[in-house]
Amino acid sequence: FSQKELMISRDDGPAWKRAKTLAESFEETSTNEGDSRESLLSSTSSLMSTSSALNCFPLTALGSEWQSTLAKARTAVVLLRVALARNFQEEEPGTSESTGFVVNADRGLILTNRHAISHGPSRVTAIFLGSEELPCKAVYIDPIHDFAFLHYDPRRLCHTSLSEIPLHPEELEVGMEIRVVGNDDGEQHQVLPGIIARVDREVPECDEFSDENTFYVAAASNTAEGSSGSPVLNCKGNCVAMNTATASSSGGGFFLPLERICRCLSLLLQMSSTIPRGTLGACFVFRGLEEARRLGLPPNQADRIAGILVVLHTVRGSAAANHLRNGDLLLALGGQPCLNFVCLEEYLDERVGKIAEVQICRDGKLLDVRLPIEDLAAMVPSDILEFGSGVFHDVGYQLAAVYNLPIQGAGVFVARAGIVFEEVLSDHSCVLTHVNGRPTPTLDEFISRITRLAANERFSFGYLDLSDLGKHRTHQEGTACMALAWTGIRAWQARGLSRKWQPRDLPQLAGEDASPQQCLPSQRSEAKALARLRRSLALVHFRVAGDFAESRVEDADDAAAGCLRQGVAVILDADAGLCVTDRATIPELLGQVELTFAGSSQVPAQVIFLHPHHNFAFLRYDPKDLAVPALSAPIYNRETASEDHGRVQQDEVPENQGEADEENEEDEGEEEEKESDEEIEIGQKDAESREVDVLVQRICSYVGLDEHGEIVAQDVEASSEFPDFLHQEPSCWRQRNAELISLSDEVPGVGGVLCDKAGDVLAIYLRFPANSEVEFYGISVGYLGRLMETLAISDAPLACKIASLDLEFSSKAFETLKWEPRARRLPTKWLKGLAEVPARVLSVRGVMPRGAAEGSVEIGDVLLEVNGRTVTGCDSVEQVLQGGLSRPFQSVRMTLYRCGQMIHSELPVAWISSDGATRVLLWAGAVLRETPRAVCEAFGVPEDLELPGIFCTKVLPGSPAEEYGLEHSAFWRSAGGLLLRRLDDLLELAQDTCIRVETINLQGRDKVTHVREDPLFWPTVELRCGVSGTWTRLEH
């Protein structure tokens, strides 16, 4: 190298100073070119292993003999974008990048690593030097070694010249100078130098793949992620090995030899329909002469060899397991010496299905055994089953070897547990052994058992947890609940040499729902009030709908906790089967709900209404499913209590009151000053008008359930609080406009009720989603209002609506008003009047974009009156709005105070239905729904989009949406040139090779993406909820 040819970085670090010194040294000793160059190459190779910054060498800096070689090779090296569509074995779905290179330009064959494209379902796109993209399909994936061949159509290349890299494994030797050309660390066409250090290294231990019965090549190449599948070139431009893995700590690279690759390529070029790959079911390692002698190698054999193949382990269930043992020395196959892996594999591959004559040495004794040579390709799972967002297949050769499982009849491997098994199995690698006591040794047996289960039927299963076999290796038992409503059940089969995946027919499914399990509750002696409340509480289990779920438990420690939520439901109407729980337990309409009464009786339930403002999720169950009927909770009656305390209820004021207020507002000067000195009448708003204060005084006990459904009780002291719940994820609901109840001491359980001495329920003690966790508060039963009566008798609960002002309030104590700036301070009459009651002043914190109040109310306005009723807290507004359920109205009269002015206006009322998505669309792996109300509140909707609009809540891994860069939490403006307003607009799109999608993220930035659909693994699926709360699944 010359100093000028080096691209010195701006970073003047030690590595670059050393590089500069090396270049200067080379110039000074240029007369002795041979020795200096060899020394420099050795030093530079060492430097490259410690500093990746030198990867920016120009081609001229690599020597003139490399320039033409690398220039030609660059056109044959491609970037592979791979999307794994499903979990397979222990590989996760998702999109990744790797490298491949053309080995036959006329036929369009690309060589890459097996672990880059997987044995499972995948989509592969090759990106050539000129940024041309072509789809590829696998034509051969080796069952054990880490290589695979892809095919592209060379006729579709327009701007890239056809070139290929020849394979020459015979040219590989120690000390050879090499170049690795690939997409190192995501950067296309990086050139990394190195020198071959070893050609007989053992198989590296990697998480990405497993291999056996081969040597690996080692070199200090400093390769990184993304360079898998890169060609290892010599100065002639020939490929002598393929990059497979890297040691990140040392910068060493591990390369796969090409002997088996060349054989397979030759058969592919001959259009062979099969590529035989044989195995004895045993893994061998190469050991040196000294270790072979310790293992019993006879002296007459030791003189002729430098090393020998030794049995490392055998696969259970194979023929070798009964005849070979760990430590056996392999001497000969078919009467011919077998001294390396090339001899071993050539012998086995040519004799698949035949008998191998094997000579071994065990503890100094020569043994001759006859072993069948099995088809290695047939031991790779070729069928997968999917239901409940879970993926299942047979245990293949690799899993059997890694976990020491039988190759046949070990059970069904759980590649992904899904919503059915996730509660028990979490994200552990497991094998299912039986369903309801009937063995499931194969996937076919598992399918026959699973398809006999009805929807929502509970069943038992056995499993072996493979996640930590060092601690236990015993079969375990679990129970699960069958769920097919949202995901359906599908199966695929890989066919042929290319493992092309096709749908597979399944047996007819069981049609009817299973009857719930009924058990008599255990008898316990308790106080009368507690006994009654015990039958008014139920434990709630909610399982999210797998891939369609909008949210998971924020503080979940593992996958099981992330799919299962637990809380307490309070029975509101036992005859109608109506109960209520919190929205931390039931965050959305789509999911599986199960109620447990008295700790033993389990019944299914449906989510029928999610309150848009308050922490209420209403459920309905069939009372006939209970062996012992539940009891309605004794709910505190606000109206009766008001009469007892002599309170006067008044929802409206005379019609001319608003006109009089307007006239007073128009008065100027002396009249306004006179008004300010007068006190207003707040007779209807005395000290007992604030319901929350009454409840706090009466609350004396907490009654709830623990996580096992056992009743718990404790005396408590309560106080009122107005917590501030911040926005979390864009589509996550949050509590607002309610004064809540907090307890002085922590209470046990997962929720319950707050009662007075008589056992009447004054408030429901629930979990509230708060920031990144959940918090417990009580919320007055007064906020339930007449809504629970409406839902109890409605046949279409999701169609029920509540009144809303489309405003969010903040609350502050009256005493803080004296610290307000003069321009924002309330008039004297209001200050004197509110001083007589324990009032809290409400100011507008948020206005719903495009809502009923937009343009009429501004942030910072102080709310004084609603329909002539003085506002002393959130319950004042709530009582007025709840009156609309019995006598619907279209507007309310409001008195606001804004920067020194009294404003009287009539505000339209928005009638809104249940929160949560009632339609969910899965398109190309993007989970879409109409824009959630929570998103509108926090971010608004772009002005050029028509409501309700389409919003993407999730992009599933391995889907076309992920592969082509679509983002979650984004609005969809158009698709295929069609403006999108509703989900139906997207269904009208005709399937095309490539669809243009325009999106807008929450910061208002536009993005244009082109998506190619995958109808085989990612069909368009719609989930639709009827007005009764029942979900149906449609596949378009």
Side-chain angles (χ1 to χ4, degrees):
F1 308 107
S2 68
Q3 183 178 351
K4 296 181 180 179
E5 288 174 329
L6 280 170
M7 297 175 61
I8 302 300
S9 169
R10 295 186 182 94
D11 180 14
D12 194 21
W16 286 103
K17 291 180 179 179
R18 185 179 172 194
K20 185 176 180 181
T21 302
L22 288 171
E24 292 172 348
S25 174
F26 178 73
E27 287 183 336
E28 294 173 359
T29 58
S30 59
T31 55
N32 192 2
E33 182 177 354
D35 295 340
S36 299
R37 181 172 184 81
E38 190 68 22
S39 175
L40 180 60
L41 285 172
S42 177
S43 300
T44 306
S45 177
S46 174
L47 177 63
M48 295 292 281
S49 65
T50 59
S51 176
S52 60
L54 287 176
N55 293 346
C56 61
F57 278 177
L59 294 183
T60 56
L62 297 174
S64 58
E65 71 274 18
W66 284 100
Q67 293 184 35
S68 60
T69 295
L70 296 176
K72 181 179 179 181
R74 283 161 59 89
T75 61
V77 177
V78 299
L79 171 66
L80 297 179
R81 186 177 64 231
V82 183
L84 303 184
R86 292 294 185 274
N87 298 73
F88 193 81
Q89 299 189 106
E90 294 183 306
E91 298 165 342
E92 299 286 338
T95 301
S96 61
E97 293 181 347
S98 59
T99 305
F101 59 99
V102 179
V103 292
N104 190 289
D106 294 334
R107 294 279 299 275
L109 293 179
I110 295 175
L111 176 63
T112 188
N113 284 138
R114 184 199 69 221
H115 77 258
I117 66 171
S118 172
H119 274 121
S122 64
R123 297 182 308 280
V124 185
T125 301
I127 304 175
F128 292 81
L129 182 62
S131 297
E132 288 187 84
E133 296 187 13
L134 290 181
C136 297
K137 63 178 181 179
V139 292
Y140 176 75
I141 305 175
D142 197 76
I144 192 63
H145 293 328
D146 195 20
F147 72 91
F149 286 97
L150 305 173
H151 174 262
Y152 68 94
D153 188 352
R155 296 171 298 179
R156 298 180 60 183
L157 278 177
C158 301
H159 307 291
T160 304
S161 59
L162 295 177
S163 63
E164 62 186 47
I165 297 178
L167 305 181
H168 286 275
E170 72 280 358
E171 296 180 3
L172 178 67
E173 60 183 15
V174 175
M176 173 184 291
E177 183 183 353
I178 50 99
R179 298 290 183 266
V180 181
V181 183
N183 306 299
D184 190 71
D185 204 18
E187 298 293 334
Q188 274 191 276
H189 295 95
Q190 296 293 294
V191 180
L192 304 177
I195 295 178
I196 299 298
R198 294 182 60 184
V199 295
D200 59 351
R201 193 197 188 280
E202 291 185 9
V203 175
E205 295 183 2
C206 300
D207 295 333
E208 293 82 4
F209 71 97
S210 61
D211 206 338
E212 65 180 40
N213 296 342
T214 182
F215 287 124
Y216 266 73
V217 181
S221 60
N222 202 37
T223 53
E225 184 178 356
S227 62
S228 294
S230 300
V232 179
L233 304 177
N234 61 12
C235 61
K236 299 178 183 179
N238 296 330
C239 178
V240 295
M242 180 172 60
N243 182 53
T244 299
T246 183
S248 57
S249 58
S250 64
F254 303 122
F255 311 146
L256 181 67
L258 302 180
E259 283 79 8
R260 291 297 92 191
I261 296 176
C262 290
R263 172 183 176 271
C264 293
L265 176 60
S266 175
L267 292 175
L268 287 175
L269 296 178
Q270 296 172 23
M271 305 297 290
S272 176
S273 59
T274 61
I275 297 181
R277 295 286 278 115
T279 181
L280 297 175
C283 175
F284 296 88
V285 292
F286 187 81
R287 293 291 182 252
L289 182 57
E290 289 303 318
E291 185 170 351
R293 285 172 175 168
R294 291 194 294 269
L295 292 173
L297 182 66
N300 60 338
Q301 297 284 341
D303 297 336
R304 297 181 297 168
I305 62 174
I308 198 168
L309 298 183
V310 181
V311 176
L312 180 64
H313 63 76
T314 59
V315 179
R316 292 173 57 190
S318 66
N322 299 324
H323 297 87
L324 301 183
R325 299 179 186 173
N326 178 271
D328 286 351
L329 307 177
L330 178 61
L331 300 179
L333 288 173
Q336 298 297 321
C338 183
L339 303 179
N340 54 46
F341 292 116
V342 176
C343 297
L344 172 66
E345 294 199 296
E346 282 183 354
Y347 181 87
L348 298 179
D349 290 348
E350 297 300 328
R351 294 168 177 82
V352 175
K354 299 180 181 180
I355 300 298
E357 302 288 344
V358 182
Q359 186 182 57
I360 61 174
C361 177
R362 179 181 301 161
D363 196 20
K365 299 179 181 179
L366 298 181
L367 300 175
D368 292 321
V369 296
R370 292 168 55 86
L371 298 176
I373 302 176
E374 301 179 85
D375 185 4
L376 193 55
M379 298 181 182
V380 179
S382 58
D383 294 83
I384 59 177
L385 175 71
E386 181 181 37
F387 67 91
S389 298
V391 180
F392 313 87
H393 58 72
D394 286 315
V395 174
Y397 182 89
Q398 290 188 346
L399 291 174
V402 170
Y403 294 111
N404 195 24
L405 299 173
I407 188 62
Q408 300 291 339
V412 175
F413 182 73
V414 183
R416 184 186 183 192
I419 59 178
V420 177
F421 295 97
E422 195 170 20
E423 181 181 353
V424 177
L425 304 184
S426 185
D427 57 354
H428 296 178
S429 296
C430 297
V431 171
L432 301 178
T433 57
H434 76 78
V435 171
N436 283 337
R438 298 193 174 185
T440 55
T442 64
L443 183 66
D444 289 336
E445 289 290 338
F446 181 70
I447 290 175
S448 67
R449 305 302 177 201
I450 285 295
T451 52
R452 296 176 186 176
L453 299 176
N456 299 320
E457 179 178 351
R458 296 196 67 85
F459 62 94
S460 63
F461 63 92
Y463 67 96
L464 177 65
D465 191 343
L466 307 177
S467 59
D468 195 351
L469 295 178
K471 293 183 178 179
H472 58 82
R473 192 186 176 93
T474 57
H475 290 270
Q476 303 177 58
E477 296 291 321
T479 59
C481 184
M482 191 60 177
L484 297 174
W486 317 297
T487 62
I489 181 169
R490 295 179 291 176
W492 294 273
Q493 185 176 50
R495 299 174 181 173
L497 192 63
S498 63
R499 292 183 62 82
K500 182 178 180 180
W501 292 90
Q502 299 290 343
R504 170 182 166 178
D505 295 333
L506 291 174
Q508 184 68 32
L509 300 178
E512 300 181 357
D513 290 357
S515 58
Q517 301 178 3
Q518 298 182 357
C519 304
L520 293 177
S522 58
Q523 300 297 323
R524 294 180 55 184
S525 58
E526 298 165 346
K528 184 176 180 179
L530 292 183
R532 181 180 182 185
L533 285 173
R534 176 183 176 83
R535 295 175 60 183
S536 300
L537 301 177
L539 198 63
V540 182
H541 288 91
F542 179 79
R543 293 174 179 85
V544 299
D547 292 335
F548 296 95
E550 296 180 21
S551 58
R552 295 174 70 87
V553 177
E554 294 81 2
D555 56 352
D557 294 331
D558 53 31
C563 77
L564 178 66
R565 297 169 183 251
Q566 189 179 61
V568 169
V570 180
I571 311 304
L572 302 177
D573 190 326
D575 295 333
L578 180 68
C579 56
V580 66
T581 186
D582 57 77
R583 293 203 56 180
T585 303
I586 310 288
E588 51 194 297
L589 295 171
L590 183 60
Q592 187 178 45
V593 187
E594 189 176 72
L595 301 178
T596 304
F597 291 83
S600 57
S601 187
Q602 298 174 335
V603 298
Q606 282 185 338
V607 188
I608 61 170
F609 195 89
L610 297 178
H611 203 293
H613 296 156
H614 302 313
N615 191 26
F616 297 132
F618 292 90
L619 311 176
R620 178 177 288 168
Y621 65 93
D622 189 348
K624 298 178 182 178
D625 292 339
L626 289 175
V628 177
L631 297 177
S632 301
I635 301 296
Y636 166 77
N637 190 308
R638 180 175 61 194
E639 295 181 356
T640 303
S642 299
E643 294 175 1
D644 294 342
H645 288 82
R647 291 195 298 171
V648 179
Q649 303 292 329
Q650 180 176 347
D651 288 341
E652 297 184 1
V653 296
E655 294 182 359
N656 60 358
Q657 180 67 46
E659 299 174 0
D661 289 341
E662 293 177 1
E663 294 175 359
N664 292 337
E665 182 66 19
E666 294 175 358
D667 293 341
E668 298 178 356
E670 299 177 359
E671 290 185 11
E672 185 174 357
E673 185 67 24
K674 182 178 179 180
E675 261 188 19
S676 66
D677 295 333
E678 297 178 357
E679 295 185 16
I680 62 170
E681 291 287 337
I682 318 182
Q684 70 204 36
K685 315 143 188 106
D686 56 13
E688 295 183 344
S689 65
R690 274 177 46 84
E691 178 182 304
V692 65
D693 297 323
V694 177
L695 298 183
V696 166
Q697 294 174 4
R698 296 183 59 176
I699 289 173
C700 66
S701 61
Y702 157 82
V703 179
L705 298 178
D706 64 14
E707 59 184 6
H708 304 294
E710 297 296 327
I711 197 164
V712 292
Q714 182 176 314
D715 293 338
V716 296
E717 293 183 0
S719 60
S720 62
E721 185 177 345
F722 196 97
D724 186 14
F725 296 102
L726 301 178
H727 288 280
Q728 302 178 63
E729 293 296 324
S731 60
C732 289
W733 171 92
R734 62 190 181 92
Q735 169 69 46
R736 52 202 171 277
N737 297 349
E739 197 165 350
L740 305 180
I741 300 170
S742 60
L743 303 181
S744 57
D745 298 321
E746 185 176 348
V747 294
V750 293
V753 295
L754 302 177
C755 312
D756 58 13
K757 294 181 180 180
D760 289 338
V761 176
L762 305 177
I764 305 177
Y765 196 67
L766 301 169
R767 303 191 314 157
F768 284 73
N771 302 329
S772 60
E773 52 186 17
V774 293
E775 298 177 0
F776 282 90
Y777 289 100
I779 182 169
S780 167
V781 293
Y783 286 101
L784 292 171
R786 297 185 176 92
L787 179 59
M788 63 178 181
E789 302 171 3
T790 304
L791 294 176
I793 61 176
S794 175
D795 293 330
L798 285 176
C800 295
K801 296 185 177 182
I802 64 169
S804 172
L805 298 178
D806 283 346
L807 296 174
E808 181 181 352
F809 300 108
S810 61
S811 174
K812 60 180 67 176
F814 169 76
E815 292 79 7
T816 63
L817 294 179
K818 57 185 177 182
W819 304 109
E820 291 287 331
R822 181 176 298 274
R824 298 177 60 87
R825 194 174 301 170
L826 290 178
T828 304
K829 73 167 186 175
W830 287 96
L831 291 176
K832 292 182 178 180
L834 293 175
E836 303 297 327
V837 298
R840 294 189 68 88
V841 178
L842 299 184
S843 62
V844 177
R845 179 183 179 181
V847 180
M848 176 77 169
R850 301 199 194 183
E854 188 176 37
S856 301
V857 181
E858 296 181 5
I859 295 177
D861 289 354
V862 178
L863 181 61
L864 299 178
E865 289 184 340
V866 176
N867 280 356
R869 185 187 187 95
T870 301
V871 175
T872 59
C874 288
D875 54 347
S876 302
V877 180
E878 187 71 21
Q879 291 175 21
V880 172
L881 295 179
Q882 287 188 11
L885 289 175
S886 57
R887 291 178 297 169
F889 49 80
Q890 300 302 319
S891 63
V892 295
R893 293 185 299 277
M894 301 180 63
T895 300
L896 304 170
Y897 187 73
R898 180 188 303 162
C899 297
Q901 295 184 351
M902 302 290 293
I903 299 177
H904 304 275
S905 64
E906 188 163 328
L907 187 69
V909 172
W911 288 89
I912 57 178
S913 56
S914 170
D915 197 24
T918 56
R919 288 183 68 190
V920 179
L921 194 67
L922 180 65
W923 185 86
V927 181
L928 307 170
R929 54 167 292 183
E930 292 182 350
T931 306
R933 183 179 177 86
V935 173
C936 296
E937 292 173 348
F939 297 93
V941 179
E943 295 181 357
D944 60 340
L945 295 184
E946 295 187 41
L947 292 178
I950 295 180
F951 190 77
C952 179
T953 59
K954 182 185 292 187
V955 173
L956 300 184
S959 65
E962 184 201 45
E963 179 184 358
Y964 293 99
L966 287 175
E967 299 175 352
H968 66 88
S969 301
F971 304 94
W972 283 32
R973 172 185 284 155
S974 68
L978 178 67
L979 293 178
L980 301 177
R981 181 172 180 267
R982 297 182 180 275
L983 294 177
D984 290 329
D985 297 336
L986 197 58
L987 295 176
E988 294 176 2
L989 286 178
Q991 287 191 355
D992 199 354
T993 56
C994 202
I995 296 178
R996 174 189 170 100
V997 179
E998 296 183 48
T999 62
I1000 307 174
N1001 66 12
L1002 295 177
Q1003 287 71 44
R1005 296 185 182 275
D1006 298 343
K1007 183 176 182 179
V1008 177
T1009 309
H1010 290 79
V1011 179
R1012 182 178 287 109
E1013 293 185 86
D1014 179 5
L1016 177 60
F1017 285 98
W1018 299 98
T1020 300
V1021 175
E1022 179 185 1
L1023 300 181
R1024 181 175 297 183
C1025 185
V1027 292
S1028 64
T1030 303
W1031 287 87
T1032 55
R1033 180 179 187 273
L1034 303 172
E1035 190 166 318
H1036 296 276

